[in-house]
Amino acid sequence: MSGKADPRPAGDGTTSRARLDRGRGALGPALELVHTGRAPTRAVLTAELGVTRATAGAVAAELEALGLIRVDARPGAAAGSQGRPSHRLEVAEEGPVALAAQVHADGFRAALVGLGGRIVATTPSCETVDADPAKVLGAAVDAGAELLRRTGRPCVGAGLAVPSAVTEPEGLALNPLHLAWPVGAPVREIFAERVRAAGLTGPGFVGNDVNLAALAEHRHGAGRGARDLLCVATGHRGVGGALVLDGRLHTGSSGLALEVGHLTVNPEGRPCYCGSRGCLDVEADPLALLNAAGRAPGPEGSLLQQANELIGEEYGDPVVRMAAEALIDRLGLGLAGLVNILNPDRIILGGLHGTLLDADPDRLRAVVADRSLWGRSGSVPILACSLDHNSLVGAAELAWQPVLDDPLRALGPV
């Protein structure tokens, strides 16, 4: 069925085929379990899928034949475990990859990402962003295509993360405030066209960068196991938010949900690009920290890098500490409002917000608890994001999703 050598043991082919036919609907769920690390062994896979051992074995063998996973030929048991040893399951180290690209205010980057959210290769960050989205996306895709040529890996598709709300189903960048791109730029159409022009197979997808960071963290990072996950992050400019409900991104009726950057947290604060004043977007991002600390942004490194270094190297300076505490208080105020409305079971913070949490976790958690409806008795866990380049990993998740949904249809013979 896969066009490759069949690793299934010799014997009654009719029986093996019947088992696989019964388990074909389980191929996608099985692959997702291995992809997210929830089925490290065939025994766990059997239990999670609710099928027989024989069917789980046939499903695992077919995923291996498709080049997606590796089944350990010799079963083994973890130290201290009881019962029959089970074959270990891992994503295939040399398997297919997705091309992922991210654009932000300080540049863009491309990467190849395999199953399991593993970054196989990445380009250096380019530190210039043209006002023409077609030029930027073309350069990002070309950089990713070069990585594919160098590694020789098959590609399942491409995903793009942008710092803007992306409308559904049109794929328009509705508010690329920090990129100087035209409002409503058709980024999905442009990206898909550039992917085709580079000779890549597979579809092209586009999403908001924080949405995709949340998706990646939920599947592979600090958000694993959460049912209702709230992610708030500030990367290079501005503040974004995302919500994952029962494993699915909540994007609203047209892709515009969770624009948390435009919550007012300081009514007398800085003018915001949206026309309001004191929004989280301009009160709790890297530029706001640098300004509050009296530090002019330098020419070397991104704003995020400069803000993180300021916290890491000079937090003992009273001026820096006061500036950081002001940002923590405003961030906490915004998070408390979101907790009251959304009632998440976990909050994860990315970019500079994760750095602020690490610098003074008690202060941020106290602000959220004091301002939220349920107080300290109902406080929600707050963690820092744990993945490097989580928006890139999330962009790759978009490209991997058709494979996770139906591996045979996505990768099997035509």
Side-chain angles (χ1 to χ4, degrees), residues 25-398:
L27 283 174
L31 181 60
E32 184 166 343
L33 287 166
V34 179
H35 173 59
T36 55
R38 291 177 290 156
T41 67
R42 204 167 72 184
V44 176
L45 182 69
T46 302
E48 289 288 333
L49 293 176
V51 298
T52 66
R53 283 204 308 262
T55 297
V59 167
E62 183 66 19
L63 292 176
E64 186 172 37
L66 289 169
L68 295 170
I69 73 170
R70 186 177 72 85
V71 181
D72 194 337
R74 293 182 300 175
S81 64
Q82 297 180 351
R84 177 185 297 181
S86 182
H87 297 273
R88 293 199 61 81
L89 307 177
E90 299 176 341
V91 299
E93 291 186 2
E94 300 301 320
V97 294
L99 188 157
Q102 180 184 8
V103 179
H104 51 73
D106 291 318
F108 65 86
R109 185 189 295 270
L112 305 182
V113 185
L115 281 169
R118 298 177 181 178
I119 295 180
V120 173
T122 183
T123 64
S125 178
C126 175
E127 297 183 357
T128 58
V129 178
D130 196 275
D132 180 358
K135 291 183 180 179
V136 180
L137 301 187
V141 170
D142 288 345
E146 178 58 28
L147 289 179
L148 286 169
R149 283 190 287 271
R150 292 210 307 261
T151 61
R153 304 286 281 267
C155 182
V156 299
L160 169 69
V162 293
S164 169
V166 179
T167 63
E168 296 293 347
E170 302 90 349
L172 309 179
L174 194 63
N175 60 341
L177 299 176
H178 305 293
L179 294 180
W181 287 0
V183 173
V187 288
R188 179 176 299 153
E189 179 183 336
I190 294 170
F191 183 64
E193 179 184 324
R194 296 300 176 180
V195 168
R196 288 192 297 269
L200 304 181
T201 58
F205 300 90
V206 179
N208 169 263
D209 54 359
V210 180
N211 277 352
L212 299 182
L215 181 62
E217 292 285 345
H218 185 266
R219 291 182 174 179
H220 308 293
R224 286 178 64 177
R227 188 186 69 178
D228 299 331
L229 176 69
L230 172 64
C231 175
V232 177
T234 178
H236 299 264
R237 292 292 300 275
V239 175
L243 185 65
V244 179
L245 299 177
D246 289 326
R248 299 286 181 180
L249 277 172
H250 175 72
T251 56
S253 61
S254 57
L256 307 180
L258 270 290
E259 279 293 304
V260 305
H262 300 289
L263 290 173
T264 299
V265 293
N266 183 12
E268 306 302 321
R270 298 175 177 86
C272 182
Y273 308 95
C274 72
S276 186
R277 180 178 290 274
C279 294
L280 203 58
D281 213 49
V282 292
E283 296 287 339
D285 78 341
L287 184 59
L289 176 69
L290 295 172
N291 287 338
R295 306 300 176 89
E300 298 297 325
S302 68
L303 291 173
L304 176 61
Q305 180 183 345
Q306 293 177 54
N308 280 336
E309 289 176 351
L310 184 64
I311 296 294
E313 298 171 5
E314 300 186 49
Y315 197 65
D317 184 312
V319 175
V320 174
R321 180 182 289 269
M322 186 176 298
E325 288 176 347
L327 259 71
I328 288 171
D329 290 348
R330 290 164 190 162
L331 173 61
L333 181 62
L335 292 177
L338 292 168
V339 167
N340 290 337
I341 296 169
L342 302 172
N343 188 214
D345 60 1
R346 192 179 309 172
I347 297 172
I348 56 173
L349 302 178
L352 177 61
H353 292 165
T355 304
L356 291 170
L357 175 66
D358 291 340
D360 198 341
D362 292 338
R363 186 182 186 97
L364 179 60
R365 291 180 176 126
V367 173
V368 175
D370 289 342
R371 293 279 189 162
S372 62
L373 185 61
W374 298 280
R376 296 183 185 278
S377 63
S379 60
V380 58
I382 305 175
L383 306 173
C385 291
S386 63
L387 298 179
D388 293 333
H389 307 303
N390 51 17
S391 292
L392 277 172
V393 175
E397 290 294 316
L398 295 181

Side-chain angles (χ1 to χ4, degrees), residues 6 8-23 52-59:
D6 193 340
R8 293 187 288 274
D12 185 348
T14 302
T15 302
S16 296
R17 176 61 58 190
R19 288 170 181 161
L20 180 58
D21 288 343
R22 288 196 300 272
T52 66
R53 283 204 308 262
T55 297
V59 167

